[in-house]
Structures are given as C-alpha cells and as structure tokens.
C-alpha cells in the first residue's frame, strides 16, 4: 500500500498548497466569497460538476447500483437534471443579481423582509450537507489506513477547513478543479472499465444477475419521483449551488458552463450504477450496498491505480464538503449574524474591505469546527441528508421559484410559506419517520397553498421594489463599484 499512501498524501498536500495560494488572491469580499465573479467556462464547468458530485453521488451512487442495478443511477441522474434546469432557465438571471446569498435575493424580490427566517432554514440545510460529506471521510480513511472513525473525520475535516479558511472561494475553486480532474480519471476512465472487465463484461453481468438489474425503472416510480422532488428541485435553490452560479464571469458562462456540468453528471450517474452492478457480480453478499465502492477498489485495482481511485473518492467528498462549508458560513454571517446586528444592506456588499475577508474567515473556521463536531456525534448519513433536503425543498422552494416566476407573490406570502413548509416538514418527519416520502410531499403542498393564499390576500409588492428587482434581473441595477471594474478574464 506504500504507493497508494504516497498518492493520497501528495494529493492532500496539494489541497493545502492550493489553499495557501488562494489566500493570496482573496483580497476582497467578492474574491473570498464568489471568486471575484469572473470564472470562465472551463473552470466554472469543472467546479460546478465537482460540488454537486460528492460522496453520496460516488460511494452512494455505486451502492445504489449494487442494490438496484442500472436504475440505481436515478439519484445522481436527477441531480444532473436539476443542474441542467438551473443552468438553462435560471442561472443567467441569478448571476445578474450580484448578490451573495439566496436570502439576499428574497430580500430584493420581496422588499427586505424575508431574510432572517429563510437564512435560518438555508443555514440548517448547508450545515447538514457539510456534516454528511464530512462523515464520509471515515469510510475512505478506514479503507486506506484502517483509521478510527473520529480521527478520520478530524483529519479530513481539518484539511477542508484549512484550505477553505485560507482562500475562501478561490481556494475552493482551485481545489475543485483538481478534484474534478481526479474524479474523471479515477472513476470514469479507470474504475468503470476495470470493474466491467473484472465482472466478465456486460454479457456475463446479464447472465449472472436478475433481469430487474437492467430495467431502467427497476428502482420504482415513487422513488424516482421523490428523487426528482428532492434533488432536482434542491439543485434549483441550494445556497451551495447558487454561490457557484455567482462566480460566473458572464451570463453565457453561467448558462452553458452549467449545462456542460449537468451533462457530465448524467454520465457520472450511469457510470456509478454500472460499477455497482459489476460489484454485485463480483461480491454478491456484501453486508451493505455502500460497501461496494470500497470493496471493489480495495480488492480489484492494481497498486497505484487503487490510490488514485481512492483519491477520486476523497476528491468527491472534499468538493461537496468545502462548497457546503463556505455556503454555511456565508449564510451564517450575511443572513443571520449581520442582519441581527442590523448591519445588512440587501443586495449590496457593504464595502470591499479587508476586514470583511477576515470576518468571513472567522465564520468559516467556526462553522468548520461545528461541522466536524456534529459529524463525530452523528452516525446516519442518509437521515442527516434527508433532513437537510426536506427542510430546503419544503421550506424554500415555493418562495424562491415563486419570486422568480410570479410577480403577485408578496413578502407575507413568502414568510408564511417558509414557516408553514418548514414546520410541516419537521412535524411530518416526526410522525411518518425521517426517511418517509410523505413529509416532503405534504410539506411542499402546504407551503404552496399558503404562499398563494396569503399573497392574494395581502397587498401586492410595492411597485418600486418590483421595478428595482426587474432592473437587477436585467443586469442594469446597482452593483458594487469594485465589481464593476472586474473583467471576466479567468479561463
């Protein structure tokens, strides 16, 4: 394993080095939180694909393939569909708003009264997303070093917190680009063909497994519908995803760069399912489907290649973890702490001063420590991730999409939708169980009904607010002076 260890150590050292290099570029709030809003198509596509394809998409995607066959691709496939929908229909408008958080967008649209409560819901989502990614380090480091779970979480979490705190979004962008390349080589170009060959090829896989393993809908229609509801719509409104849209240097980059990333996700989804199906042939009686990835990597890959593929899994986890961490810290600082202190100016930057970079660094460090501690305390990744997405979709989907698509929506309707949807989801999870489908179904319906009824029953949003909103959507509204001087030169 010495060669494999060397590959992993070099990879981790490289992540820290990029964090240090990114620190030199993060001179303003815009640089630190959204990479100066000037990423070109190549970097934007790579980093967007990296953040959405995390440990759940890699280890979990292979596990679903092991359990259900090719239809196990649907979870990651719906993530790709969500990214495609966001990129084609919403990303250009989102990028033109020149904000830092989803809650700032809600304030601009509804007149500055939706921020704190929506910020709390978004903070809970991003925190749990970061926690679930951090828990996944235990699986990878256990395969590599037979390491204690707590030590593995602290080691992986500390590296992510370190490079995220140093350089903010610039460091995360640079590391995500490397992680995208590592994942592409490790999973698509190495593990996928090796797994299929080891399993005897597709003809042997079909001969060894039930026909249901090759049914595109074998996982079940209700499960697919739930994936669409949670993951496809979740991609449209998550702070971690929007914060990457804010890094785009132009409308065209946001639209077509995101489309490339979404298409890559569809390919990655199918690859994970095929790898899992091959693992089922090779290891038909694993204790847990989620063991399929680690088992096939550990037993079937040659020295060196094994280290690179494990680095790919580590890259998948780190990219999602770092993206969720900076999103969590941004929401905590901009949408909760600053608002409670009365220091927020909706849609503005509040000055591009070095002190703001320092303040955001402190928040990333504090949130990072909280994430690591929470990850150590929790065991069930699936339940934590389900809680996160149920809160996000049930509480925020309706007011966000309603604000973008329906001009009659009001601040009172948005606040009521967030409150009722969030409370309904939590209450229904307590009644039906965390993993049940009913909480997100009924919570979303309750949120939609309340949004429409309350909006129609209250005075329409002030015409001046809507006019300012339309100006910002068109890219003609007020922007931070420092950002007006930036050019989209990073490619």
């Amino acid at each position: 394993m010495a060669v494999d260890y060397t590959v992993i150590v070099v990879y981790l050292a490289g992540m820290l080095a990029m964090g240090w290099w990114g620190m030199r570029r993060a001179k303003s709030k815009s640089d630190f939180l959204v990479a100066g809003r000037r990423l070109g198509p190549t970097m934007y596509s790579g980093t967007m694909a990296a953040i959405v394809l995390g440990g759940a998409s890699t280890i979990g995607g292979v596990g679903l393939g092991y359990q259900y066959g090719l239809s196990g691709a649907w979870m990651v496939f719906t993530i790709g569909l969500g990214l495609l929908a966001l990129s084609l229909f919403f990303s250009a408008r989102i990028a033109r708003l020149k904000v830092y958080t989803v809650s700032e967008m809600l304030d601009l649209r509804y007149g500055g009264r939706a921020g704190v409560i929506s910020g709390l819901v978004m903070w809970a989502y991003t925190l749990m997303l970061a926690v679930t990614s951090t828990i996944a380090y235990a699986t990878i480091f256990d395969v590599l070093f037979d390491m204690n779970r707590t030590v593995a979480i602290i080691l992986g979490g500390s590296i992510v917190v370190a490079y995220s705190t140093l350089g903010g979004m610039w460091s995360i962008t640079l590391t995500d680009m490397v992680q995208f390349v590592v994942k592409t080589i490790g999973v698509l170009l190495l593990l996928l063909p090796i797994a299929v060959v080891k399993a005897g090829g597709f003809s042997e896989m079909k001969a060894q497994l039930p026909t249901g393993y090759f049914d595109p809908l074998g996982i079940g229609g209700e499960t697919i519908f739930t994936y669409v509801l949670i993951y496809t719509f979740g991609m449209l409104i998550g702070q971690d995803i929007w914060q990457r849209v804010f890094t785009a240097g132009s409308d065209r980059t946001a639209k077509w760069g995101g489309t490339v990333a979404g298409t890559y996700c569809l390919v990655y989804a199918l690859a994970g399912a095929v790898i899992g199906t091959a693992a089922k042939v090779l290891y038909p009686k694993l204790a847990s489907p989620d063991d399929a990835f680690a088992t096939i990597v550990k037993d079937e890959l040659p020295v060196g290649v094994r280290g690179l593929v494990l680095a790919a899994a580590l890259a998948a986890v780190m990219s999602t973890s770092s993206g969720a961490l900076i999103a969590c810290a941004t929401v905590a600082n901009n949408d909760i702490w600053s608002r409670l202190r009365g220091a927020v100016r909706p849609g503005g930057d509040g000055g591009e001063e070095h002190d703001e970079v320092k303040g955001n660094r402190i928040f990333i460090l504090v949130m990072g420590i909280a994430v690591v501690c929470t990850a150590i305390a929790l065991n069930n990744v699936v339940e934590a991730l389900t809680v996160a997405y149920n809160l996000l979709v049930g509480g925020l989907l309706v007011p966000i999409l309603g604000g973008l698509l329906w001009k009659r929506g009001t601040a009172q309707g948005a606040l009521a939708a967030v409150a009722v949807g969030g409370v309904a989801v939590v209450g229904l999870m307590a009644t039906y169980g965390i993993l049940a489908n009913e909480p997100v179904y009924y919570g979303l319906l309750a949120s939609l009904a309340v949004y429409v009824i309350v909006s129609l029953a209250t005075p329409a949003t002030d015409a001046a607010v809507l006019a300012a909103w339309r100006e910002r959507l068109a890219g003609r509204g007020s922007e931070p002076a420092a950002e007006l001087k930036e050019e989209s030169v990073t490619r």
Side-chain angles (χ1 to χ4, degrees):
M1 293 287 287
V3 176
D4 296 325
Y5 292 160
T6 301
V7 172
I8 297 296
V9 170
V10 169
Y11 169 76
L12 294 176
M15 296 299 98
L16 291 174
M18 289 188 180
W20 183 263
W21 188 86
M23 181 177 67
R24 301 173 61 186
R25 301 201 64 167
K27 303 298 184 183
S28 67
K29 180 180 179 181
S30 175
D31 286 334
F32 193 82
L33 294 182
V34 290
R37 305 188 194 275
R38 52 196 175 98
L39 294 190
T42 301
M43 291 192 73
Y44 180 85
S45 297
T47 58
M48 182 63 87
I51 187 176
V52 300
L53 296 173
S57 300
T58 303
I59 299 171
V62 171
L64 287 171
Y66 182 90
Q67 188 173 2
Y68 298 105
L70 298 185
S71 66
W74 273 105
M75 184 188 78
V76 183
F77 202 83
T78 55
I79 291 173
L81 292 178
L83 185 52
L84 285 171
L86 174 71
S87 301
L88 290 172
F89 302 117
F90 299 106
S91 62
R93 284 185 284 176
I94 292 170
R96 287 196 292 265
L97 290 174
K98 300 295 184 185
V99 295
Y100 290 109
T101 68
V102 174
S103 293
E104 286 183 48
M105 167 263 167
L106 292 173
D107 276 353
L108 282 170
R109 168 60 181 82
Y110 294 112
R113 288 175 287 177
V116 174
I117 186 171
S118 61
L120 287 169
V121 174
M122 189 64 76
W123 175 79
Y125 157 73
T126 53
L127 178 72
M128 296 309 294
L129 185 62
V131 165
T132 58
S133 300
T134 304
I135 291 173
Y137 295 127
T139 301
I140 299 169
F141 284 117
D142 177 58
V143 174
L144 281 171
F145 307 116
D146 193 24
M147 187 177 290
N148 175 270
R149 178 182 184 274
T150 299
V151 174
I153 288 173
I154 292 173
L155 175 61
S158 297
I159 293 170
V160 169
V161 171
Y163 73 69
S164 301
T165 302
L166 285 172
M169 187 59 83
W170 267 123
S171 293
I172 293 171
T173 296
L174 294 169
T175 55
D176 276 2
M177 197 62 200
V178 174
Q179 289 159 357
F180 168 74
V181 173
V182 171
K183 280 193 289 191
T184 301
I185 295 173
V187 176
L188 297 185
L189 301 184
L190 292 176
L191 182 58
L192 175 61
I194 290 174
V196 172
V197 170
K198 291 284 187 178
F202 285 103
S203 59
E204 183 65 21
M205 290 162 62
K206 288 184 178 180
Q208 293 287 335
L209 297 172
T211 56
Y213 267 73
F214 301 92
D215 180 357
L217 303 179
I219 198 170
E222 184 179 357
T223 299
I224 295 171
F225 178 74
T226 302
Y227 284 159
V228 170
L229 201 60
I230 294 177
Y231 296 115
T232 300
F233 285 112
M235 286 295 107
L236 299 180
I237 59 175
Q239 170 67 25
D240 53 322
I241 309 303
W242 277 41
Q243 199 156 343
R244 294 309 174 95
V245 175
F246 300 151
T247 67
S250 67
D251 292 358
R252 185 177 179 82
T253 294
K255 183 175 183 178
W256 297 114
T259 300
V260 171
T263 304
Y264 178 90
C265 291
L266 304 183
V267 175
Y268 200 88
L270 185 58
V274 171
I275 293 167
T277 305
K280 183 67 176 179
V281 173
L282 294 167
Y283 312 99
K285 295 183 180 180
L286 290 177
S288 168
D290 286 340
D291 292 338
F293 180 88
T295 302
I296 196 169
V297 169
K298 190 174 182 179
D299 294 350
E300 302 297 336
L301 300 186
V303 172
V305 173
R306 179 171 50 207
L308 183 60
V309 172
L310 288 172
L314 199 57
V317 175
M318 282 188 162
S319 56
T320 300
S321 181
S322 59
L325 176 59
I326 194 171
C328 179
T330 302
V331 170
N333 189 5
N334 282 29
D335 296 338
I336 301 174
W337 176 247
S338 294
R339 292 169 191 268
L340 293 177
R341 292 174 60 198
V344 72
R345 289 198 293 254
D349 290 328
E352 294 284 325
E353 300 177 2
H354 181 73
D355 285 349
E356 290 188 290
V357 175
K358 180 180 178 182
N360 281 292
R361 278 200 177 104
I362 292 171
F363 267 89
I364 289 180
L365 180 60
V366 172
M367 290 298 106
I369 293 171
V371 164
V372 170
C373 292
T374 306
I376 292 171
L378 290 179
N379 285 315
N380 195 312
V381 178
V382 176
E383 288 190 359
L385 192 62
T386 301
V387 169
Y389 272 99
N390 281 356
L391 278 173
L392 177 70
V393 174
L396 290 179
L397 178 66
V398 169
I400 292 172
L401 293 188
L404 289 169
L405 301 173
W406 190 41
K407 67 179 182 179
R408 186 61 181 82
T410 66
Q412 294 89 341
L415 287 170
V418 173
V420 170
V423 170
V425 163
V426 172
L428 290 167
M429 281 192 292
T431 303
Y432 287 98
I434 290 176
L435 299 180
N437 294 328
E438 288 83 359
V440 71
Y441 292 169
Y442 299 143
L444 190 56
L445 287 174
S447 179
L448 177 61
V450 168
Y451 180 72
V452 172
I453 293 170
V454 174
S455 292
L456 292 176
T458 52
T461 304
D462 185 83
V465 172
L466 287 178
W469 165 254
R470 286 192 292 269
E471 287 292 298
R472 290 292 285 269
L473 277 180
R476 296 190 297 267
S478 59
E479 299 176 18
E483 290 185 5
L484 286 171
K485 299 176 183 179
E486 299 279 12
E487 296 182 3
S488 301
V489 296
T490 306
R491 295 291 182 261

